Amino acid sequence: MIIFKNATSLTGKTFDLEIPSTEDNVIDATGLTAMPAVIDPHVHFRTPGMEYKEDWTTASPAAINGGCTTVFDMPNTLPPTVTEALLVEKKAIIDAQLNEIGIPLRYQLFFGADKSHLDQLAEVKDQVVGIKVFMGCSTGNLVIDDDESLHAVFSLAAKLDMLVAVHAEDEEMMAERKEKYFDATSYACHSTIRNVDVAVVAVKKAISLAKEYGARLYILHVSSAEEIALIKAAKLDGVKVFAETTPHHLFFNTTMYDTHQGRCVVNPALRDPSHHAAIVAGIHEGVIDTIGSDHAPHTKEEKDQAYGQCPSGMPGIEFMLPMLLNAHHQGIFSLAEVAALTCMNARQIFGVEDTKDWVLVDLNKTKTVDSTASKCGWSPYMGLTLTGWPVYTILRNTVFTL
Ligand code: DOR
Ligand code: ZN
């Protein structure tokens, strides 16, 4: 048995955290707070096909560093995860990579909705955490941009009792705006082209489909006050809708283009600073249920290309919890809110049992981000000095000292 002596619980009580083990060890946990380990419901670990950006041997240590022991991986890989055969193949590759690194990270996969493979949904129903629908194009070529297919997906999802996770950006509107700003050369134009309206139109459509068919809807990376207002109203209306935000939409904004250029190009795009308060309020009010890192690494060389060539996405899993703990330190969120956002609500929404995985955090530790375990080798959080850091992550009774 490994005992973390004098740990502090989320409610501030002192207790001994006991971890079943063949090893006998007592670790002084005075001053450390025990939180449930992070469930990151939204990652792109790039396997298969884009392992030059990231793979599970590098992403898993990044997850552990961030106090995370469970991830849900997205299907926009090469090839995309759109058939049962591809799903089975992807799991085998992931398992081999996890085996190689000796980190038995917990994971589930999202299945990609694809017009020509909708028959596959019934086949994979019990093997995936949900269906991912790209309502607008992002990285890769998965997209469902016609109403007929969208209706088919929501209707099938309701029948099969599968959760639908949407990347809510309206493809038609985005295409029009790309045309209008065809000569855009500055990275900041990304936020003008993929503006709030583009997200709002898609969120409205997704909510109305969920309502019509009675499907469970999970809206990924909610980034604006307007989307939050729509989701709040839908929840009050009894629609089965859940909302996720990301650390970058919560903590970053359009002023970042000046310093981070292509590195902060992401879909949905960063918003102007006025949305920050609405996202914080959305979390306080329980309109936003979860936070997903949307860990989407690309190489430095890819990200440093000119606007138009530079792909969207940034890594995030390693520093999501430190950013939230730092926000707790600043008085923005309670610890209970951080635990709800990073674990408890995801358990409920996705039906995940209590894994008894833990992260012990030092709320008073201050450190500057100076390195990353991600294969991409860069982070938008680099150089930030944060207070509140994970020091032990416990996965399947194995203690990782950070
Ligand atoms: O910025 C993004 N990057 N948004 C997405 O929807 C996909 C992701 C990626 O896979 O690179
Ligand atoms: Zn994503």
Side-chain angles (χ1 to χ4, degrees):
M1 172 109 73
I2 300 174
I3 302 172
F4 286 92
K5 208 151 185 60
N6 290 328
T8 306
S9 75
L10 282 177
T11 52
K13 296 204 178 79
T14 303
F15 76 115
D16 293 344
L17 174 62
E18 297 179 346
I19 309 295
S21 174
T22 48
E23 187 191 327
D24 280 321
N25 197 0
V26 178
I27 297 170
D28 181 11
T30 309
L32 301 185
T33 302
M35 304 181 69
V38 173
I39 298 172
D40 188 340
H42 186 166
V43 304
H44 302 261
F45 281 0
R46 303 305 191 203
T47 286
M50 290 183 280
E51 282 96 345
Y52 71 95
K53 297 176 196 268
E54 186 78 286
D55 65 36
W56 291 68
T57 69
T58 44
S60 303
I64 295 291
N65 285 347
C68 170
T69 61
T70 305
V71 298
F72 301 161
D73 190 61
M74 289 298 169
N76 59 331
T77 44
L78 280 178
T81 320
V82 295
T83 67
E84 188 186 18
L86 288 167
L87 180 77
V88 170
E89 216 172 289
K90 177 171 175 176
K91 283 189 178 169
I93 303 172
I94 292 172
D95 291 344
Q97 292 182 6
L98 291 178
N99 204 33
E100 184 187 331
I101 187 98
I103 299 180
L105 200 72
R106 298 175 198 269
Y107 73 89
Q108 295 198 57
L109 301 181
F110 274 103
F111 191 72
D114 177 52
K115 280 170 227 184
S116 40
H117 295 102
L118 292 184
D119 61 311
Q120 294 288 299
L121 293 178
E123 308 302 321
V124 301
K125 155 184 170 22
D126 298 321
Q127 303 171 56
V128 297
V129 69
I131 307 167
K132 168 77 180 271
V133 176
F134 282 93
M135 296 175 77
C137 289
S138 191
T139 302
N141 47 18
L142 271 181
V143 66
I144 300 245
D145 54 358
D146 67 289
D147 283 351
E148 196 187 328
S149 308
L150 278 175
H151 277 268
V153 171
F154 276 81
S155 150
L156 270 170
K159 267 192 214 120
L160 299 168
D161 192 24
M162 294 175 81
L163 174 137
V164 186
V166 292
H167 178 119
E169 288 190 290
D170 186 74
E171 182 57 28
E172 192 182 327
M173 203 169 163
M174 226 150 46
E176 274 167 26
R177 295 183 67 76
K178 269 186 201 157
E179 189 100 328
K180 181 171 171 196
Y181 296 97
F182 72 96
D183 56 353
T185 52
S186 94
Y187 298 108
C189 290
H190 195 64
S191 291
T192 309
I193 297 171
R194 298 179 86 117
N195 68 356
V196 171
D197 296 347
V198 163
V200 162
V201 167
V203 164
K204 271 189 192 152
K205 194 183 271 185
I207 287 173
S208 104
L209 286 161
K211 185 171 174 172
E212 180 174 346
Y213 293 100
R216 281 186 304 134
L217 171 65
Y218 182 78
I219 303 182
L220 298 152
H221 38 49
V222 169
S223 58
S224 67
E226 289 83 344
E227 289 164 274
I228 292 166
L230 288 169
I231 295 162
K232 183 174 179 175
K235 284 189 169 191
L236 287 171
D237 191 23
V239 182
K240 290 178 251 173
V241 56
F242 307 99
E244 170 199 277
T245 193
T246 70
H248 44 279
H249 291 110
L250 175 57
F251 297 115
F252 296 161
N253 58 57
T254 44
T255 61
M256 197 170 171
Y257 287 113
D258 293 341
T259 47
H260 288 68
Q261 313 245 319
R263 303 275 179 106
C264 68
V265 168
V266 63
N267 302 333
L270 296 181
R271 306 302 183 204
D272 71 65
S274 69
H275 295 276
H276 174 77
I279 299 178
V280 171
I283 291 169
H284 290 327
E285 291 176 25
V287 178
I288 290 176
D289 302 282
T290 59
I291 190 160
S293 69
D294 199 358
H295 181 80
H298 299 282
T299 65
K300 289 176 191 167
E301 293 71 26
E302 288 171 326
K303 289 298 271 178
D304 293 344
Q305 295 172 97
Y307 185 63
Q309 271 85 57
C310 130
S312 297
M314 52 175 89
I317 196 166
E318 205 169 354
F319 305 110
M320 179 165 82
L321 182 61
M323 287 297 286
L324 289 166
L325 295 176
N326 187 63
H328 165 68
H329 176 74
Q330 294 170 336
I332 300 172
F333 300 122
S334 69
L335 266 192
E337 280 176 324
V338 175
L341 265 185
T342 56
C343 177
M344 306 301 200
N345 293 345
R347 274 188 200 161
Q348 290 219 319
I349 296 167
F350 299 100
V352 181
E353 60 179 31
D354 180 358
T355 58
K356 303 276 194 304
D357 287 348
W358 296 90
V359 55
L360 281 106
V361 303
D362 181 346
L363 297 174
N364 296 313
K365 177 174 174 176
T366 298
K367 196 176 88 178
T368 301
V369 178
D370 62 358
S371 66
T372 174
S374 169
K375 192 185 277 189
C376 72
W378 65 278
S379 166
Y381 301 95
M382 209 69 91
L384 295 184
T385 299
L386 308 175
T387 299
W389 284 88
V391 288
Y392 295 103
T393 299
I394 298 152
L395 162 65
R396 300 182 201 265
N397 298 328
T398 297
V399 177
F400 293 83
T401 306
L402 310 176

